Amino acid sequence: MHFSLIIPLLVLFVVVMTQGPTEAPRVLLGPVFQAPRGLDTNIGFLSASSQLSRHLEDVLSSGASPFGSFTRDATSVSISMVSAAQESPLFEFQYTSSLLNVTANGTRKVSGDSIFRIGSISKLLTVYALLLKSGLVHWERPVTDYIPELRHNTGQPRDKDGINRVQWEEVTVGSLASHMSGIGRDYSSSDLSTFPLPWTELGLPQLAAADIPACGGDKVQPPCTRKEYFQGFLKRHPVFSPQSTPIYSNTAFRLLSYVLETTAGDSFENIMERDVFQDLGMTHTSVRKPQDDSLGVIPEGDSMWAFDDGDEAPSGGIYSTSSDLTKLARSILSNTRLSPSVTRRWLKPLAHTSALTLSIGAPWEIWRTKGNTTIELYTKAGGIGLYSSLLILIPDFDIAIAIMTAGPNGSVVNSVAEIVMQIFIPVLKQAARDEAAANFAGHYVSNSGTDSSVVLGVRNGPGLVIEKWLSNGSDLLATAQAYSQATNSGIIGSVRLYPTTLVQESGAGKRVAYRAIFDTVKEAETADRVFEESLNAWAKVDQTMYGRVGVDEFVFDLDASGVAICVEPQFLGIRLTKVL
Ligand SMILES: *[C@@H]1O[C@H](CO)[C@@H](O)[C@H](O)[C@H]1NC(C)=O
Ligand SMILES: *[C@@H]1O[C@H](CO)[C@@H](O)[C@H](O)[C@H]1NC(C)=O
Ligand SMILES: *[C@@H]1O[C@H](CO)[C@@H](O)[C@H](O)[C@H]1NC(C)=O
Ligand SMILES: *[C@@H]1O[C@H](CO)[C@@H](O)[C@H](O)[C@H]1NC(C)=O
Ligand SMILES: *[C@@H]1O[C@H](CO)[C@@H](O)[C@H](O)[C@H]1NC(C)=O
């Protein structure tokens, strides 16, 4: 019977994903309009939100979703979504499974302040702390500068065994943070020898006692001390040479916490608790299990709620809430702690994977949407025991979403994230477009008596379209067309303005710089190409100048509410005031 709820939603997805103007390809990576600021009052967003809540409620209680099925009513979920533009969450969703552990002392009702384990999202917090304490200063330094155990670990100055020994002098701090160090994944967890099975009867060789990890290998062994860990891990083989290809490594983040301790001169736990959690008001986040379990979401079964990770905490041990993770994300998006330039560098891919839609940052898992306008989702997933969560930042929209789940089916987080994104991405695109139409579209004219004006519109595709452009009575669109054809640069189909990241405060409002892209009409492709020339248009930005000023430079003056008052095509040296 629950399937009846699914079918209308599948229809909705199809409608949502195909509605709206067709998108022309975007030339530059980044937002096609400024990020929406008024989502909290956007009708489309609000109605999508309530529809989404009802749908998630149905999916979780029935266990059936368009993206996979799972045990009904078994997973507790907490979602929080924020925008850099507003302090309070834009969207929240809570679901309390009926399969919580009744003998544990956890919560009986999930809220935005309910505590989940966040697994590998801990890695993101570890890198954040590193950037907070010292920016990118240590990024390109070899890890041997900070961790004495890694120096000369074989007794020889430089070990030549490139296959069985990690070349630690080549492993940089940044490579550890981005899974690019090529080192092994773990020391002892998942070592088969720590599982009680008759391995020798199954054909595996007898191991020397010294080769069987005695710490951290399973849930009953104590966590490895720093000394034990290095004794064991230094014998592990590398997977690739450093800087080859992303190889997921938990060990890398334990090492980064040691780098942090050395460079910041304090313990990992102190740094996190004081400089990250307290500083950002993440009041329900902790490196260790909270003493009071009453806010914990503790599902039935082997949840690992109370499992102590020891020095593995920087990699997977932290406890947090959907509300706290979005506080961190909001701080990242609005540069409240890290400098804007460090943040811009951090929110970039550092390596590709074999998939066109997935790249790796430090340690962001960066997903790119398919379609004409690529949107990048900077995410970090985490799983431990029965906890699975996902933090998503979308810089193009200045929004972040934390999705926390607890229950037997770890895939629920992916299904929920898929539903949330498929509903919200088109709505966010539309909201940005609507705001651009309201704030920028219109007729801008000269006050100085010359016949100069610009008409900007928002229609059919990305960016602000220049519909008319006169300078002292001359039609500049016609001039651009003639110039383009005279220089064999093709027929201009449209001229569109896109926001850059250049902004200047100005009184109560601000000035924002845009660049025009002269889209040339593409000939129909007759065959798939490796070198698709139209994609190379990014290289032509700022190419054509007049008196040292790019003819594509436009600067808007915005009032305090973000509405454009005037525009300056900079090379013309004129100011055009919006009249309607
Ligand atoms: C992408 O752009 C092409 C060419 O402008 C257009 O034909 C197509 O419909 C667009 N696709 C979407 C999903 O908007
Ligand atoms: C739950 O709380 C009670 C009372 O404080 C305590 O005795 C008990 O050990 C706790 N149970 C667990 C599983 O922590
Ligand atoms: C509930 O939690 C308690 C205390 O952590 C644990 O001993 C017990 O095995 C759990 N019960 C179930 C059904 O998961
Ligand atoms: C979901 O969990 C149930 C109960 O543990 C299990 O029977 C089922 O196989 C799981 N489904 C998936 C897709 O993992
Ligand atoms: C506008 O054009 C006229 C003649 O075409 C010229 O005399 C005048 O100087 C121009 N005005 C400006 C402000 O450039």
Side-chain angles (χ1 to χ4, degrees), residues 35-46:
R37 312 295 292 174
L39 290 170
D40 54 343
T41 54
N42 182 293
I43 303 293
F45 180 80
L46 296 175

Side-chain angles (χ1 to χ4, degrees), residues 373-396:
T373 312
T374 303
I375 292 170
E376 292 186 328
L377 278 56
Y378 280 76
T379 77
K380 185 69 200 84
I384 182 172
L386 299 184
Y387 297 91
S388 299
S389 34
L390 184 66
L391 178 63
I392 304 168
L393 273 67
I394 312 184
D396 284 2

Side-chain angles (χ1 to χ4, degrees), residues 99-122:
L99 300 180
L100 290 174
N101 181 332
V102 289
T103 58
N105 294 329
T107 184
R108 296 283 167 264
K109 189 170 187 333
V110 173
S111 79
D113 290 329
S114 296
I115 302 173
F116 295 72
R117 300 209 71 163
I118 62 169
S120 291
I121 299 179
S122 307

Side-chain angles (χ1 to χ4, degrees), residues 197-272:
L197 281 173
W199 295 111
T200 50
E201 286 166 36
L202 294 166
L204 304 193
Q206 187 76 47
L207 288 177
D211 288 331
I212 301 176
C215 60
D218 61 33
K219 287 177 210 160
V220 290
Q221 286 181 339
C224 300
T225 63
R226 177 169 172 152
K227 190 169 174 215
E228 289 169 321
Y229 199 84
F230 281 118
Q231 276 170 357
F233 191 81
L234 289 179
K235 297 196 187 109
R236 296 224 55 223
H237 305 162
V239 185
F240 270 83
S241 309
Q243 307 291 5
S244 301
T245 190
I247 297 295
Y248 196 92
S249 173
N250 291 312
T251 294
F253 293 83
R254 174 192 281 258
L255 299 183
L256 283 179
S257 74
Y258 297 151
V259 172
L260 179 63
E261 291 183 333
T262 302
T263 55
D266 204 344
S267 72
F268 175 76
E269 209 162 322
N270 282 347
I271 294 166
M272 297 309 286

Side-chain angles (χ1 to χ4, degrees), residues 22-25 372:
T22 50
E23 301 171 32
N372 286 332

Side-chain angles (χ1 to χ4, degrees), residues 478-517:
T479 306
Q481 190 69 270
Y483 180 79
S484 181
Q485 290 178 39
T487 55
N488 283 328
S489 308
I491 297 169
I492 296 173
S494 60
V495 185
R496 294 166 190 272
L497 302 181
Y498 297 100
T500 72
T501 51
L502 303 176
V503 178
Q504 198 183 325
E505 302 305 319
S506 162
K510 56 186 179 183
R511 287 166 59 74
V512 292
Y514 275 58
R515 286 283 173 150
I517 302 284

